[in-house]
Amino acid sequence: MGKVKKKRVGFVLDMTPLVDIAFLLLTFFMFTAKFKSDSENDQKFQIKRPVASADTSKLPDQNLAMIKIAIDTVSNDTSYYYSLNSEVDRKIVYYASSVNIPEEMRSRVQLKVDLKQLEILVKQTRIANIKMRFALDADRKIQYKWIEDMMDVMRKSNATVFNFVTDKQQ
Amino acid sequence: MAGGGSLERGPKVKRGSFATKRKKKKRVGFVLDMTPLVDIAFLLLTFFMLSTTLNTPQTMEMSIPPDTDNVDVKQSELLIVYVRDDSKIFKSLGGDEPVPVANLKELRSLSINENMRVKNKLITSLKFGKKVPYGFVVNVLDELNLAEGELTQKLSAENIKRERKFALTPMTPEEIEKLKTL
């Protein structure tokens, strides 16, 4: 109390390093940020993936065909969804004459399909691009029979290697 | 940002004839208020930091037997793991009656011990009931994957290269009935 408070007139703090670091972080996060794709934007479900212990294999970015099994949040129906992540592959596969989906659906990224359509799509995909990898992204609450049916389709299409998409155990 | 660094760069610009002609205004003590810039920068920074998800999904590779071949296997080298609709695990060794398995940890040691017993020749067949949640299926597969690391190590000590023989097969109606009674 008895101390005389020193008035600091014209006190200047050099903010340069702080701002440098801030901008560095900003650019880092800006470049690493991945935003929701179009297909994820118009889907009416959210997938809670099953958890598995840490594995080094990550989901590939290219040549990926994703089969999703999800529960619709509005109607509570379980259904299959199929999407290819490359535009070129989509053009070939979705517009193939043997694929029997409504004309207006062909331009979409993600298709809601039944098992028959799924089988044709998987076969077409394998014809279009032999390097294609299949990944199954399903909700952890899905009953196994959906997975079994889907694996049956994969077996019939000779796509015997595929991936389960999981989340890392925390 | 006009002339932000003109204080230092001032003398250097004097190259060329016209630069000398122009009357250069000396801006002593020029201060640009950086506060709004820094504010926006931090705002964006927090936005991107909060919106990024750092845990990218990972994958678990699965292979299923092709449609065509039916392989005959030795009963003594076959381990069948059943998972009933209520997520209870049972094991059946060499065609014996299914015996309950207490938990996932036991399943892991079971896989290791049986593989060691028959020296890498064990064929594991997994049969899941139709109503088992997918999350549990992945847990079981994960547990068997975890056993692999230890197995590879133990087998290489005996100079055997680990080859995994493993299949996901559908449950037959008889098996479903049998499991119900257990």
Side-chain angles (χ1 to χ4, degrees):
Chain A
M1 290 298 160
K3 253 186 196 164
V4 183
K5 195 127 201 237
K6 215 200 237 162
K7 236 192 185 172
R8 302 206 267 183
V9 186
F11 171 74
V12 176
L13 184 74
D14 188 15
M15 302 266 279
T16 325
L18 175 76
V19 175
D20 283 355
I21 296 295
F23 269 101
L24 189 78
L25 283 171
L26 177 63
T27 34
F28 169 73
F29 281 107
M30 269 175 81
F31 282 113
T32 52
K34 231 181 176 181
F35 292 100
K36 273 187 181 170
S37 58
D38 290 350
S39 66
E40 276 172 74
N41 228 351
D42 56 35
Q43 69 185 17
K44 290 185 193 68
F45 56 80
Q46 213 182 356
I47 292 175
K48 275 208 193 96
R49 300 193 179 98
V51 286
S53 57
D55 194 328
T56 45
S57 52
K58 290 266 182 285
L59 205 60
D61 282 334
Q62 283 167 347
N63 296 327
L64 180 71
M66 190 77 102
I67 299 164
K68 289 182 184 168
I69 312 176
I71 306 167
D72 195 301
T73 40
V74 183
S75 60
N76 257 338
D77 289 337
T78 308
S79 43
Y80 294 99
Y81 298 85
Y82 190 76
S83 62
L84 296 173
N85 70 344
S86 116
E87 176 99 44
V88 184
D89 290 323
R90 278 205 296 274
K91 280 249 159 62
I92 303 169
V93 177
Y94 290 5
Y95 287 88
S97 54
S98 63
V99 178
N100 111 62
I101 50 172
E103 213 49 52
E104 69 272 12
M105 292 239 312
R106 290 183 196 261
S107 59
R108 292 205 190 154
V109 176
Q110 184 163 274
L111 307 173
K112 189 175 173 177
V113 290
D114 59 27
L115 274 176
K116 260 215 187 83
Q117 290 169 323
L118 182 68
E119 188 176 340
I120 300 166
L121 277 168
V122 170
K123 278 184 180 152
Q124 275 297 331
T125 310
R126 280 182 51 84
I127 294 168
N129 185 350
I130 196 69
K131 281 185 292 194
M132 195 65 88
R133 296 173 66 92
F134 292 90
L136 172 73
D137 195 358
D139 196 284
R140 61 176 91 136
K141 289 205 291 289
I142 297 281
Q143 294 189 347
Y144 181 65
K145 69 161 189 266
W146 292 88
I147 317 285
E148 201 171 33
D149 290 345
M150 171 260 168
M151 287 202 294
D152 213 45
V153 166
M154 300 301 278
R155 190 176 296 139
K156 277 191 219 150
S157 326
N158 253 330
T160 52
V161 178
F162 53 90
N163 294 283
F164 286 157
V165 182
T166 55
D167 268 343
K168 206 189 290 170
Q169 206 152 33
Q170 294 300 318
Chain B
M1 298 296 279
S6 61
L7 261 183
E8 293 86 30
R9 249 184 264 142
K12 272 189 192 164
V13 201
K14 274 188 180 164
R15 283 175 287 139
S17 54
F18 79 97
T20 41
K21 268 180 209 162
R22 242 171 57 189
K23 217 178 173 186
K24 196 98 214 222
K25 214 195 218 165
K26 233 190 183 173
R27 301 207 264 184
V28 186
F30 171 76
V31 176
L32 185 75
D33 187 15
M34 303 266 280
T35 326
L37 176 77
V38 175
D39 283 355
I40 296 296
F42 271 99
L43 187 77
L44 284 171
L45 177 62
T46 31
F47 167 71
F48 280 106
M49 272 177 83
L50 293 176
S51 64
T52 40
T53 45
L54 284 173
N55 52 338
T56 46
Q58 47 174 12
T59 65
M60 180 186 268
E61 196 168 284
M62 255 343 280
S63 47
I64 46 174
D67 220 358
T68 44
D69 53 343
N70 263 320
V71 215
D72 287 325
V73 291
K74 253 194 230 167
Q75 282 280 325
S76 60
E77 289 165 1
L78 180 68
L79 168 70
I80 307 177
V81 176
Y82 297 99
V83 180
R84 207 165 60 175
D85 285 348
D86 57 358
S87 299
K88 282 226 165 60
I89 311 169
F90 296 88
K91 64 167 181 187
S92 164
L93 257 173
D96 292 345
E97 284 290 300
V99 185
V101 176
N103 51 30
L104 287 170
K105 277 263 156 53
E106 198 185 317
L107 186 67
R108 193 200 301 191
S109 50
L110 175 78
S111 172
I112 294 169
N113 294 341
E114 289 306 321
N115 268 297
M116 291 310 291
R117 186 176 60 83
V118 293
K119 302 275 177 261
N120 197 20
K121 289 208 183 94
L122 191 77
I123 294 158
T124 313
S125 174
L126 271 171
K127 295 176 182 229
F128 290 98
K130 286 201 185 301
K131 288 200 179 107
V132 179
Y134 172 61
F136 191 72
V137 174
V138 170
N139 288 348
V140 171
L141 292 172
D142 190 40
E143 207 59 40
L144 292 176
N145 283 344
L146 286 175
E148 285 310 294
E150 205 169 320
L151 265 173
T152 320
Q153 222 172 33
K154 280 191 174 174
L155 283 168
S156 65
E158 298 182 31
N159 283 325
I160 305 169
K161 196 172 171 286
R162 170 73 178 146
E163 267 173 53
R164 198 170 185 194
K165 295 191 198 86
F166 166 84
L168 269 173
T169 38
M171 222 184 244
T172 61
E174 298 90 68
E175 286 167 332
I176 296 173
E177 283 308 310
K178 197 194 266 175
L179 286 177
K180 266 186 193 160
T181 59
L182 292 168

